[in-house]
Amino acid sequence: MTTALYTHPDMFGHLPGAGHAERPERLRAVLDALDDATLDLEVLEAPRVERADLLAVHEATYLDEIFGKAPARGVVELDPDTFMSPGTLLASQRAAGAVVRAVRDVAAGRADRAFCAVRPPGHHAEPGLPMGFCLFSNIAIAAFAAQAAGLSRVAVIDFDVHHGNGTQTALGGRPGMFFASIQSWPMWPGTGHPSEHVPANVVNAVSPDGAPAPVWRRAFEGLMNRVDAFEPDLILVSAGFDAHRRDPVAGGGQNLEEADFGWATRAITSVANRRAKGRVVSSLEGGYDLEALGRSALAHVAALGER
C-alpha cells in the first residue's frame, strides 16, 4: 500500500503570536520525526482549497469575514484562542486543501492511505465561527469532497483529547456520514459527553480526566465497533496527539504514550481493511509537547503504512 504525505511550507507562515501553543515548531517536529524514520512515504504538495469546497461546510458570510480580516501586518484576534497573522489565511487554505486533495487521490486510487501534516488544525471550527485555534473545518470539508468523489459512506474518527465540536456540527444528521469522537472528560470545549443529545449518526465516548491508558483503549474499541457497523467506504481521522501524558495544553487529561496511538491506528486500519478497501486519510489536529508530538505522529504514520 502507498501512504501519501501532504504538507506545504506555507503552513509555517501562520504565526499566532509569541507563547501561543499552536506554534510553527509543531509542524517542524512532525516533519522531522517522519523524515528521520525509514518510512515509505510519497511527499506531495498541499494545494489551496477551493471556495466551493469550503462552502460545503462554512457559511458564505463567514468565509467573507475570514478573508476580509486577513491582516497585511500584525496579528488579529478572532477569539481568545484563535488569531490571524499575514500568513494565516494561506496556511489555512493549504491545510484544508491538503485533506481535500488526499481524499480525492485516495478515491481515484492514486494512494491507498494518506497523512496530512497541516496547521492550523480544524476540528473546532464551526460553520460560522472560528474556535480553538481553528478557522476551517478541514476534516468535515474533506468528508463532503469524498462523497462528491464517489465514496458515499464516510466515517470520521477523532481521537484528539478535545471534542471535535465543529466536525460534529458539520456532519451530524447528514446522510452517509458518521462521526465518532473520544475525549477526556471534563475538558474544554465542554461538548462530547455521551449524555449529550446528538443526531443518530454521531457517537461520543469519554475517558475520565487522568484515567490510565487501558480505560481509554476500552472506550476507543467501543467507538471502532460502531464505525465497523457503519460499513464505511472511507475512514477519515482527526489525529490529535494531545492525549499524550506529556501534553501541556491538556494538563495530563489522559496518560497515553505514542504506543497507544499506534495501537489506535491499527484498530482503525483493521476496520478500513475489512470495510473500506483499506482507505484511510488522516489529518493532524492537536498535540503541543514537541517531543511527544513527533514520536506520536511517527507511531501513527508508521501504523498507517503497515501492510
Side-chain angles (χ1 to χ4, degrees):
M1 302 182 75
T2 302
T3 301
L5 171 65
Y6 296 80
T7 193
H8 198 284
D10 283 346
M11 286 180 268
F12 289 107
H14 169 48
L15 303 172
H20 197 283
E22 209 295 276
R23 58 203 192 277
E25 290 83 358
R26 297 181 60 247
L27 182 57
R28 175 52 57 202
V30 170
L31 294 177
D32 284 351
L34 298 180
D35 188 55
D36 288 345
T38 56
L39 300 177
D40 183 18
L41 295 176
E42 181 183 8
V43 183
L44 299 170
E45 184 174 279
R48 297 167 70 166
V49 70
E50 298 290 337
R51 183 178 174 91
D53 291 313
L54 294 174
L55 285 169
V57 170
H58 293 290
E59 301 163 4
T61 53
Y62 172 71
L63 296 180
D64 292 341
E65 179 182 3
I66 290 298
F67 277 73
K69 286 185 175 179
R73 63 183 64 87
V75 176
V76 172
E77 179 180 321
L78 302 179
D79 72 14
D81 296 316
T82 312
F83 300 84
M84 293 186 75
S85 71
T88 298
L89 181 59
L90 180 55
S92 298
Q93 291 174 293
R94 296 280 190 194
V99 199
V100 170
R101 174 61 59 83
V103 299
R104 287 179 175 149
D105 285 349
V106 168
R110 291 188 288 268
D112 301 298
R113 293 178 184 161
F115 177 67
C116 301
V118 303
R119 62 179 294 273
H123 71 154
H124 294 307
E126 297 276 352
L129 189 71
M131 186 174 175
F133 312 162
C134 306
L135 275 71
F136 300 144
S137 189
N138 303 329
I139 280 285
I141 293 163
F144 287 100
Q147 284 193 330
L151 301 176
S152 60
R153 296 178 66 80
V154 180
V156 175
I157 179 74
D158 186 330
F159 57 67
D160 191 282
V161 79
H162 305 98
H163 181 238
N165 56 288
T167 312
Q168 176 174 295
T169 300
L171 302 186
R174 304 301 289 262
M177 300 290 193
F178 189 83
F179 177 63
S181 181
I182 182 170
Q183 42 276 332
S184 184
W185 192 267
M187 181 64 68
W188 183 93
T191 57
H193 193 274
S195 64
E196 180 183 337
H197 179 71
V198 294
N201 68 328
V202 171
V203 58
N204 288 308
V206 296
S207 184
D209 188 42
V215 172
W216 187 92
R217 287 194 181 201
R218 285 195 294 273
F220 191 83
E221 286 177 334
L223 284 184
M224 291 313 303
N225 288 338
R226 296 290 297 273
V227 173
D228 190 22
F230 175 69
E231 300 183 4
D233 298 314
L234 169 71
I235 298 177
L236 300 178
V237 184
S238 274
F241 301 105
D242 40 7
H244 196 283
R245 65 175 182 82
R246 291 172 53 106
D247 197 88
V249 172
Q254 298 296 298
N255 290 300
L256 304 189
E257 302 275 2
E258 51 269 26
D260 296 299
F261 294 112
W263 171 89
T265 306
R266 286 186 287 274
I268 291 167
T269 59
S270 177
V271 174
N273 289 340
R274 185 162 55 252
R275 300 295 193 183
K277 299 182 180 179
R279 292 182 289 237
V280 179
V281 173
S282 174
S283 185
L284 181 64
E285 299 283 1
Y288 305 98
D289 179 274
L290 299 183
E291 181 180 344
L293 173 60
R295 295 200 313 252
S296 299
L298 175 56
H300 173 63
V301 175
L304 279 179
E306 291 177 2
R307 305 303 190 254

